[in-house]
Amino acid sequence: MERVVRLENFGHSFAAPGFVYRPTHPEQVEEIFAAAGQNGLHVGLRGAGRSYGDAATNTGEIVMDMQRMNRILDWDPDTGVIQVEPGVTIGQLWEYIIEDGWWPPVVPGTMAPTIGGCLASNVHGKNNWKAGTIGEHVLSFSALLPSGQQVTCSPTKNKELFYAMIGGMGILGVFVSIRMQMKRIYSGDLEVYAWAEPDLERSLAALDEAKDSDYVVGWVDATPRRSRLGRGQMHTARYLEEGEDASPLRSFRPQHQILPDTILGLVPKAVTWRFMRPVMNNLGVWAGNTGKYLMNRTLGNHKRYLQSLVAFNFLLDYVPDWERAYGPGGLIQYQSFLPKETAHDAYAGMLQLCKRRRLPSYLGVIKRHRPDDFLISHSLDGFSLALDFPVSKRSRTRLLQLLTDLNQIVLQAGGRFYFAKDSSLNPTEVSQYLGQKTIAAFRRIKERVDPEGLLQSDLYRRCFTDGVG
Ligand SMILES: Cc1cc2nc3c(=O)[nH]c(=O)nc-3n(C[C@H](O)[C@H](O)[C@H](O)COP(=O)(O)OP(=O)(O)OC[C@H]3O[C@@H](n4cnc5c(N)ncnc54)[C@H](O)[C@@H]3O)c2cc1C
């Protein structure tokens, strides 16, 4: 049962050893807490390890991997209410419900994460403006607190803990069962509309104008010269109305949804990342992005088409292990959230700074967001820009300095950050963005549910405690 494992983040840019336990029942979670307490160790929680930073590692301490608690406990196909254990993945969830005409209302850009991990980060999808975060669709959850107490929380019962644990990055308690409302669908396809925009200003404006679509997202190019920075391809998508799909049962079928194993029926997808690796450098990415943009502006411009829910939502899953194309140093993603009033100038400044430092982002994604009621929230009425950066031995120090400088631009523009994607924040920056009141409320709840400070992670120590547990 007990063993030391080298655990990585999703981007393979950080690794840390931990004593990994994989409970199958809540009683075992309690036992692990008790054993940790007796041995003076701390416990960190881990789902599928899809966070980009250090949220799911706990150097030299216990890591409770929740993936074996993956049972679907109850499903009502009439109401769309489902109860699951925390290790059920987003992929497992949609596959289970889709044939009854339901879909998870909020999903991240990959189907690998667990529901427990998604709640802890309070993930958003490409529909954040329209549907909010995943937490807004949770009816109730049961959690085990480090004190050994089991609690049930909902928006009306143990309300304070409900709004703190969702988004609380696994620092307050362990989700052991979750009840959620799914979304009724009348087709397994979405109607997608794609078009190109020539610069950042118009990309952001287009996203804002289209925000009332069911989904809206944009790819932006962070590699061209100044005036074209932020050009890209925008996508909106809408659910089909009842009756629009003449044979919904066909489009609900997993065979219709599941992503093919080969590209164009020829190249096995499993090896695709190896072909991408030689071109993952500043010149190769600039050339690839330019080609993609030109295609989008010509052949792909103002195109409307049907696409399966899986293909639209989990585009990144098309190329398994794509992150390995970044090479042995891996990648860091940096996602910042800015109010709509300051977003353009701040993002333009950030993209220019990356270019000036010769550290351009290889992938940029913009989304439109709305604020939510959770205590630790990354969201606001504005935009997010997620930037992927390659990491190498040579660039690591310069990259971390760049991220620190980007943090200052975000803070000055009244922005926020997202712990699931973070690798660079320190406690001062965290309290600047969350505010003293929120930090104090979080500490007060932590003290109440975990007086011994048993639940910790590398991210928690880095962002909340100046490295001291
Ligand atoms: C390709 C890709 C695309 C992504 N796209 C998006 C996106 O569009 N939107 C978005 O919001 N995020 C996105 N993410 C981030 C991802 O959805 C989150 O990091 C999510 O939390 C990962 O879930 P996980 O199961 O892998 O959890 P982990 O990464 O293993 O852990 C995440 C957090 O959850 C905590 N945790 C895990 N299980 C439990 C539990 N049972 N109880 C309490 N806490 C627990 C951990 O302690 C940790 O703090 C993306 C990630 C990748 C790799």
Side-chain angles (χ1 to χ4, degrees):
M1 274 287 282
E2 177 189 334
R3 57 199 172 104
V4 179
V5 178
R6 180 181 183 273
L7 297 167
E8 290 190 333
N9 60 3
F10 168 72
H12 311 294
S13 59
F14 176 74
F19 298 92
V20 175
Y21 288 78
R22 290 165 51 84
T24 55
H25 289 86
E27 298 74 47
Q28 290 176 327
V29 174
E30 286 180 63
E31 284 165 21
I32 295 164
F33 274 140
Q38 280 156 19
N39 292 291
L41 287 167
H42 300 109
V43 180
L45 305 177
R46 186 172 173 98
R50 257 45 180 197
S51 295
Y52 279 82
D54 50 2
T57 55
N58 197 16
T59 306
E61 305 268 0
I62 289 177
V63 173
M64 211 178 330
D65 174 340
M66 302 302 294
Q67 290 179 102
R68 288 208 301 162
M69 286 183 61
N70 61 358
R71 286 161 285 247
I72 291 177
L73 302 171
D74 192 27
W75 167 234
D76 183 341
D78 293 326
T79 60
V81 174
I82 195 157
Q83 186 174 358
V84 297
E85 287 189 328
V88 166
T89 63
I90 295 284
Q92 217 183 322
L93 179 64
W94 76 255
E95 279 199 39
Y96 195 82
I97 61 174
I98 193 168
E99 288 180 79
D100 293 325
W102 298 89
W103 179 255
V106 171
V107 293
T110 165
M111 62 173 107
T114 62
I115 306 295
C118 287
L119 252 59
S121 301
N122 199 12
V123 301
H124 60 265
K126 299 174 178 74
N127 55 357
N128 188 238
W129 173 266
K130 195 75 183 275
T133 57
I134 195 166
E136 293 174 54
H137 305 272
V138 173
L139 302 172
S140 63
F141 63 75
S142 295
L144 264 171
L145 306 180
S147 59
Q149 197 192 347
Q150 179 143 4
V151 286
T152 301
C153 302
S154 75
T156 51
K157 187 175 176 191
N158 292 319
K159 186 176 165 180
E160 189 183 48
L161 201 51
F162 181 87
Y163 284 101
M165 268 193 69
I166 295 178
M169 298 309 293
I171 290 306
L172 300 175
V174 188
F175 299 112
V176 289
S177 111
I178 300 131
R179 276 181 76 243
M180 294 173 68
Q181 176 65 58
M182 298 294 107
K183 178 175 172 54
R184 173 59 91 190
I185 49 167
Y186 300 101
S187 172
D189 288 331
L190 294 166
E191 187 190 72
V192 181
Y193 180 60
W195 75 101
E197 292 292 350
D199 55 35
L200 181 67
E201 187 168 3
R202 274 173 277 188
S203 293
L204 293 173
L207 228 62
D208 192 40
E209 248 169 62
K211 65 180 180 299
D212 291 321
S213 315
D214 289 330
Y215 293 89
V216 55
V217 63
W219 162 72
V220 290
D221 185 359
T223 63
R225 60 189 167 77
R226 198 182 174 99
S227 64
R228 294 186 183 149
L229 272 176
R231 67 185 178 184
Q233 189 183 37
M234 310 299 119
H235 285 104
T236 59
R238 71 169 183 91
Y239 295 105
L240 300 193
E241 306 277 339
E242 191 168 9
E244 272 189 279
D245 183 345
S247 49
L249 284 180
R250 184 197 56 83
S251 63
F252 288 157
R253 287 207 188 102
Q255 299 89 303
H256 179 79
Q257 297 290 332
I258 281 170
L259 305 170
D261 285 340
T262 54
I263 293 177
L264 301 173
L266 294 170
V267 187
K269 281 198 319 188
V271 300
T272 309
W273 67 268
R274 291 181 191 277
F275 294 103
M276 291 161 62
R277 197 144 161 179
V279 292
M280 290 301 266
N281 52 59
N282 289 3
L283 185 64
V285 173
W286 168 81
N289 282 5
T290 302
K292 175 174 157 51
Y293 175 72
L294 292 176
M295 287 278 285
N296 298 156
R297 213 184 63 182
T298 50
L299 296 177
N301 214 359
H302 299 291
K303 285 279 177 322
R304 207 176 282 281
Y305 51 92
L306 291 181
Q307 190 171 30
S308 75
L309 278 153
V310 165
F312 180 81
N313 280 294
F314 310 125
L315 190 68
L316 289 166
D317 292 342
Y318 257 99
V319 181
D321 300 327
W322 58 267
E323 77 284 359
R324 297 214 173 264
Y326 279 81
L331 81 145
I332 283 179
Q333 186 176 103
Y334 181 88
Q335 187 173 20
S336 56
F337 295 70
L338 286 168
K340 58 183 186 305
E341 296 78 13
T342 59
H344 172 262
D345 289 356
Y347 284 145
M350 288 162 70
L351 292 178
Q352 283 159 21
L353 184 63
C354 298
K355 284 278 289 178
R356 274 205 307 279
R357 302 261 176 104
R358 304 181 81 81
L359 292 167
S361 159
Y362 287 4
L363 177 69
V365 174
I366 49 174
K367 292 182 197 147
R368 185 69 170 91
H369 296 271
R370 74 177 194 203
D372 57 59
D373 293 333
F374 296 89
L375 183 64
I376 306 286
S377 171
H378 51 273
S379 212
L380 41 60
D381 182 359
F383 299 91
S384 72
L385 171 63
L387 298 171
D388 287 6
F389 295 97
V391 186
S392 68
K393 266 194 191 138
R394 255 182 48 204
S395 72
R396 183 179 279 269
T397 311
R398 282 194 308 127
L399 181 60
L400 289 176
Q401 183 57 52
L402 173 70
L403 301 186
T404 304
D405 296 339
L406 296 181
N407 289 347
Q408 287 312 310
I409 301 181
V410 173
L411 287 169
Q412 275 158 26
R416 304 180 79 83
F417 303 95
Y418 186 18
F419 288 124
K421 308 284 181 82
D422 176 59
S423 302
S424 68
L425 291 171
N426 61 38
T428 310
E429 291 159 340
V430 170
S431 65
Q432 275 175 278
Y433 106 74
L434 285 177
Q436 287 301 335
K437 217 173 126 202
T438 299
I439 299 278
F442 186 68
R443 287 198 194 291
R444 185 173 41 74
I445 299 169
K446 174 82 175 158
E447 182 67 27
R448 174 159 59 84
V449 298
D450 185 12
E452 308 295 327
L454 210 55
L455 269 178
Q456 297 199 5
S457 64
D458 287 325
L459 177 130
Y460 174 69
R461 286 186 290 272
R462 173 169 61 82
C463 290
F464 288 91
T465 70
D466 268 328
V468 184

